[in-house]
Amino acid sequence: QRQLVESGGALVQPGGSLRLSCAVSGFTFDYFAYGWFRQAPGKERDWVSCISDNTDYADSVKGRFTISRDNAKNTVYLQIDNLGPEDTAVYYCALGPHVTPCAAISEYAYWGQGTQVTVSS
């Protein structure tokens, strides 16, 4: 069964950290690139980061977010540090073509269901 399953979302205090995971199944994991997106309440879904042969980040998260992948575990990670209320959103991972630079990926074919991150004191 082809699926992407996110986990790791939580309620955290400002300044805290989280590591989100995206477990990929039913695909040849290392053939593809992956992206993370987020959607805050009442807003559109925004691109956050991607990984293929390179990594890239939205300007709003550079220096605080780190994307990585473990081909042996078929898992993509998003390390989020120094969380702020503006990071509150549902975070989605997505699978796309293995394009480099990954920021050039125009369409992601498969998506997970999302994991909620809430930053509040």
Side-chain angles (χ1 to χ4, degrees):
Q1 182 178 3
R2 293 180 165 185
Q3 60 180 355
L4 286 71
V5 179
E6 302 95 334
S7 62
L11 170 62
V12 296
Q13 293 187 343
S17 297
L18 281 176
R19 188 177 78 159
L20 307 183
S21 299
C22 174
V24 179
S25 59
F27 298 94
T28 304
F29 181 81
D30 54 351
Y31 281 9
F32 297 97
Y34 297 90
W36 283 97
F37 294 73
R38 66 184 181 184
Q39 187 167 20
K43 296 187 178 181
E44 294 185 352
R45 186 161 56 189
D46 291 329
W47 172 77
V48 171
S49 180
C50 61
I51 184 167
S52 58
D53 293 328
N54 74 305
T55 60
D56 205 350
Y57 302 90
D59 288 343
S60 60
V61 306
K62 281 182 180 176
R64 298 191 299 119
F65 286 29
T66 305
I67 191 171
S68 62
R69 60 193 292 169
D70 186 334
N71 288 351
K73 295 183 177 180
N74 289 1
T75 301
V76 184
Y77 302 100
L78 187 68
Q79 176 70 35
I80 308 175
D81 297 318
N82 194 22
L83 280 155
E86 70 278 9
D87 297 315
T88 294
V90 178
Y91 285 72
Y92 299 89
C93 69
L95 177 151
H98 198 104
V99 172
T100 301
C102 62
I105 297 172
S106 59
E107 185 174 356
Y108 287 81
Y110 291 88
W111 295 78
Q113 293 301 306
T115 186
Q116 176 71 49
V117 173
T118 303
V119 184
S120 175
S121 55

